[in-house]
Amino acid sequence: MTVTTTPAQLIAESRERIDAIDDRIIGLIQERMAVSTVIQEARITSGGRRVHLSREMEVLAHWSDALGKPGTTLAMTLLELCRGRV
Ligand SMILES: C=C(O[C@@H]1C=C(C(=O)O)C=C[C@H]1O)C(=O)O
């Protein structure tokens, strides 16, 4: 007996996978925010500034290399989440 998957089933199952992936991405972003906060607080406590522009350029280049221009946009949003608006 062959069991066929209908398009509606395929879509529903794939959307469940997307929701699960999104949950993992959100968790990773929250983890990134926590690590970024540790760095920023250490720098501020030792007399430095919250923002480190040359490091942010490295982060933007990393995302741009992987995902192109939308990667840069994503990285800018990530940076805003991690250190607030500049
Ligand atoms: C976390 C840091 O501090 C800030 C936050 C950054 C980030 O979230 O990637 C990058 C540079 C800084 O503006 C860092 O200097 O690495």
Side-chain angles (χ1 to χ4, degrees):
M1 188 181 90
T2 53
V3 180
T4 51
T5 306
T6 67
Q9 284 172 326
L10 179 68
I11 290 169
E13 286 165 16
S14 298
R15 283 182 176 166
E16 276 182 27
R17 288 178 61 196
I18 284 177
D19 288 345
I21 291 167
D22 284 352
D23 281 342
R24 283 159 57 197
I25 293 171
I26 290 166
L28 287 171
I29 290 171
Q30 290 169 333
E31 186 180 344
R32 190 194 195 286
M33 290 165 70
V35 176
S36 183
T37 298
V38 168
I39 295 172
Q40 292 167 57
E41 287 179 356
R43 195 162 48 239
I44 290 168
T45 303
S46 58
R49 292 168 187 257
R50 174 177 302 282
V51 174
H52 193 285
L53 282 180
S54 63
R55 171 59 185 162
E56 294 201 2
M57 292 303 115
E58 288 175 6
V59 172
L60 291 172
H62 186 181
W63 283 80
S64 166
D65 287 349
L67 300 172
K69 200 169 173 216
T72 307
T73 306
L74 246 176
M76 286 169 68
T77 301
L78 267 180
L79 288 169
E80 184 178 335
L81 278 168
C82 289
R83 53 92 168 107
R85 277 183 186 254
V86 285

